[in-house]
Amino acid sequence: MAWDDTAEQRRIRRRRRRKIRGPLTLVVLVALVSGAAWYGYQSVMRGVPSIGPTEVCNSPSPGVKQRITAAKVTVNVLNAGRVSGLADRTAEQLRQRGFTVDTVGNDRESKVARVEVRGRASNAPEVLLVAANLTNPTVRSDNRDDVSVDIILGSDFHGLVAKGPTAMDVDTPIPVCVDPRATETPAVD
């Protein structure tokens, strides 16, 4: 019986496939197990999302003033001008006055000459307190869902007012809402 060349070639090809298939399967399995381990590690490290209010509001009574303090206000300071370090210096001054500073950075999309304050409403208590610490700010409402206040600084901004308030009584129909992450700063003796 003659040896069939095509049958021999098929046997050789099968052996080559087996030699390749085993290590390839191993590599795929190791990649899958590594991916699952990474996903599990990330899930554990992220922890359980906090359950609780993102903000706490006090509804105002008609004709009664509400008290807002700097420690209850979260601000984002953004530099829209060409003065380097302006947002950092302003954020530090706001921290010294008791405000909670969340974000400090640049805003290259806004065109602001001096200073602009943005918040959930132009007459929101937190917006009024922040605006009282600035010289002639432009106040805008952006109907945001949170109680943070953005301060956008332009190149003509020259600092905070000398004796800006750190607390004030406001008469506005908008409730005082507090971000629970903003905590009271202990008084320094």
Side-chain angles (χ1 to χ4, degrees):
M1 208 168 169
W3 192 254
D4 186 18
D5 284 336
T6 57
E8 181 66 25
Q9 288 174 347
R10 279 185 285 198
R11 270 194 296 273
I12 292 172
R13 275 188 258 143
R14 254 185 278 150
R15 280 189 210 138
R16 281 188 197 149
R17 274 191 237 132
R18 282 188 205 138
K19 286 181 180 179
I20 293 173
R21 199 178 301 158
L24 185 61
T25 303
L26 182 64
V27 167
V28 169
L29 287 175
V30 167
L32 285 172
V33 169
S34 298
W38 177 255
Y39 177 76
Y41 175 77
Q42 291 297 319
S43 296
V44 168
M45 295 311 291
R46 256 186 253 129
V48 178
S50 63
I51 298 173
T54 55
E55 56 189 49
V56 180
C57 298
N58 294 327
S59 297
S61 300
V64 176
K65 291 189 176 198
Q66 305 174 81
R67 184 97 174 139
I68 182 85
T69 62
K72 296 178 181 177
V73 178
T74 302
V75 295
N76 302 310
V77 184
L78 305 170
N79 187 357
R82 286 180 247 141
V83 180
S84 179
L86 185 60
D88 288 325
R89 288 191 302 274
T90 305
E92 186 54 38
Q93 292 172 346
L94 289 166
R95 280 188 195 101
Q96 290 173 358
R97 292 187 183 189
F99 289 93
T100 302
V101 177
D102 187 30
T103 304
V104 178
N106 294 320
D107 183 357
R108 296 292 172 216
E109 303 201 6
S110 296
K111 303 294 182 208
V112 176
R114 186 174 291 155
V115 62
E116 186 175 292
V117 178
R118 296 180 190 158
R120 62 186 170 127
S122 59
N123 62 341
E126 64 276 4
V127 172
L128 296 173
L129 180 60
V130 170
N133 281 273
L134 303 166
T135 306
N136 299 324
T138 302
V139 179
R140 298 198 191 282
S141 168
D142 59 7
N143 299 318
R144 65 182 62 188
D145 293 330
D146 64 9
V147 292
S148 66
V149 178
D150 293 346
I151 302 171
I152 295 89
L153 307 171
S155 294
D156 293 337
F157 177 73
H158 299 293
L160 303 176
V161 296
K163 295 187 179 187
T166 57
M168 63 191 297
D169 294 319
V170 292
D171 185 17
T172 177
I174 310 249
V176 171
C177 293
V178 179
D179 184 344
R181 295 175 298 166
T183 57
E184 292 288 335
T185 307
V188 178
D189 293 308

